[in-house]
Amino acid sequence: ELRHGLMRLRAKEYDAVVDIQGNLKSGLVTFFSRSPVKGGFARDGVREFPNLFFTNKKVKLTPEDIHITLKYLRVVSGTLGIDVPQGFDFYPTLFPDDKERESVRARELFGNDEVESFRIAIHHGTTWETKGISPERWRRVLETIVDAAMERGKRPEVYFTWGNEEERKQAEAIARGVRERGENCRITVTHKMSIGELIAFMSLMDLVIGPDTGPVHLAAAVGVKTISFYRVTRAERNAPRGKRHVSIQADVHCAGCLRKECPHREMCEEAIRPELFREALFTLLAEG
């Protein structure tokens, strides 16, 4: 499979290849492509040093290139001579298949369409444990969000998405805890979904909430409003941009440490306060 993939790659004879990943694997793909121009990060931006051996046009970042999208665009700009836009917002770039939308709509048994609902998806799971928060804090966040939505006259419906069996069990536990509180809203743990189904599902939501994790960024790419929070990564670098997105940064001295194991987990998690989600929701609702 790898051999056939490389053959197809080399058969294209690209005029230019731009490596925006900056690691060893992407460098190898760039190297095997038949292109006279192989653009990539200079030493100040590359993720893995060996990548530098596989590019012949190395682009330096500027002090303004803080957000990851600007870093990527800088490499494209430096390789192809295209101006990098500044101050842009995220706009929809993913458009779900209509059949998948209808399939997901039927399978997930959304509430009565005759009554206007405010659909909230929560993706609590993430590959790094230090990016997330505990199930107990998630319950507090969910209770706060539901109360805030109802305060603004919304009828919330909450859907938990998940990526593996452990995340599904956690979602069930969080949902059960909120139901036991007697919360007056519909809370559902979804079925397992493919990436295409997840994109279709997110497009049916009014709001998506989660940590720095792929499904939240998929939701932003679909054009759905998001509230995302950041502990060991930084919102200024990773968060979706624009008025449709609100990010919450842990206000601790070591925020953005990129640790996969944290000796200060409790302090860091305490900084993700439930009331911040309430404020974020009100901000998004004010935007219309």
Side-chain angles (χ1 to χ4, degrees):
E1 184 179 351
L2 176 61
R3 182 169 60 86
H4 286 300
L6 290 175
M7 288 173 62
R8 290 195 300 271
L9 176 67
R10 293 182 64 78
K12 276 288 189 178
E13 298 189 19
Y14 292 100
D15 297 308
V17 172
V18 186
D19 183 349
I20 63 172
Q21 192 68 15
N23 61 25
L24 176 59
K25 287 187 289 186
S26 63
L28 287 170
V29 174
T30 300
F31 174 75
F32 283 111
S33 66
R34 297 179 66 182
S35 169
V37 178
K38 296 179 172 68
F41 287 102
R43 185 69 185 92
D44 64 337
V46 74
R47 289 188 180 186
E48 296 177 357
F49 180 77
N51 181 271
L52 296 171
F53 295 112
F54 305 122
T55 57
N56 57 21
K57 193 163 187 177
K58 297 171 175 56
V59 181
K60 290 186 177 181
L61 300 176
T62 72
E64 291 76 33
D65 299 329
I66 297 173
H67 198 276
I68 189 63
T69 51
L70 289 177
K71 296 178 188 290
Y72 291 162
L73 287 171
R74 183 68 62 190
V75 177
V76 175
S77 170
T79 303
L80 305 180
I82 300 172
D83 289 337
V84 174
Q86 297 288 329
F88 63 89
D89 289 349
F90 278 12
Y91 294 98
T93 56
L94 288 178
F95 302 95
D97 180 82
D98 288 339
K99 290 183 179 179
E100 285 188 319
R101 274 173 63 101
E102 292 310 310
S103 174
V104 167
R105 186 192 294 272
R107 188 181 65 189
E108 298 304 332
L109 300 175
F110 289 140
N112 189 347
D113 286 337
E114 294 180 2
V115 179
E116 185 176 357
S117 298
F118 188 68
R119 293 174 181 159
I120 304 171
I122 291 180
H123 192 91
H124 66 293
T126 178
T127 52
W128 293 15
E129 183 181 351
T130 49
K131 287 184 179 182
I133 53 178
S134 68
E136 175 56 36
R137 184 158 294 266
W138 265 119
R139 279 193 288 270
R140 291 172 56 193
V141 168
L142 177 53
E143 290 164 1
T144 300
I145 284 287
V146 168
D147 288 345
M150 295 177 68
E151 186 179 327
R152 285 295 188 267
K154 301 293 183 180
R155 181 177 175 272
E157 289 181 5
V158 179
Y159 299 86
F160 276 92
T161 55
W162 49 277
N164 56 48
E165 188 62 17
E166 181 181 355
E167 290 180 5
R168 185 192 67 78
K169 290 179 180 178
Q170 289 176 346
E172 293 281 7
I174 297 167
R176 185 166 54 251
V178 177
R179 292 191 193 106
E180 289 172 353
R181 178 179 179 265
E183 201 64 66
N184 185 26
C185 78
R186 189 168 180 265
I187 304 175
T188 303
V189 177
T190 65
H191 296 78
K192 188 174 179 61
M193 300 186 213
S194 66
I195 294 295
E197 290 170 332
L198 185 60
I199 291 170
F201 176 82
M202 292 301 188
S203 73
L204 297 169
M205 296 294 106
D206 296 299
L207 174 67
V208 175
I209 303 173
D212 186 4
T213 189
V216 171
H217 298 292
L218 280 180
V222 171
V224 178
K225 293 179 180 179
T226 70
I227 300 174
S228 53
F229 62 89
Y230 301 80
R231 292 179 51 201
V232 297
T233 55
R234 297 205 66 88
E236 64 180 356
R237 179 186 185 276
N238 292 0
R241 296 168 55 137
K243 294 181 179 179
R244 298 178 63 81
H245 310 287
V246 177
S247 59
I248 297 169
Q249 180 72 63
D251 186 16
V252 292
H253 71 279
C254 51
C257 65
L258 299 178
R259 286 176 176 264
K260 294 186 178 181
E261 295 183 4
C262 179
H264 309 295
R265 179 184 176 97
E266 185 175 341
M267 175 190 71
C268 188
E269 190 171 313
E270 283 291 331
I272 306 298
R273 304 192 308 277
E275 59 267 25
L276 296 176
F277 291 83
R278 175 189 177 89
E279 296 168 8
L281 177 62
F282 289 167
T283 297
L284 290 176
L285 292 178
E287 290 293 334

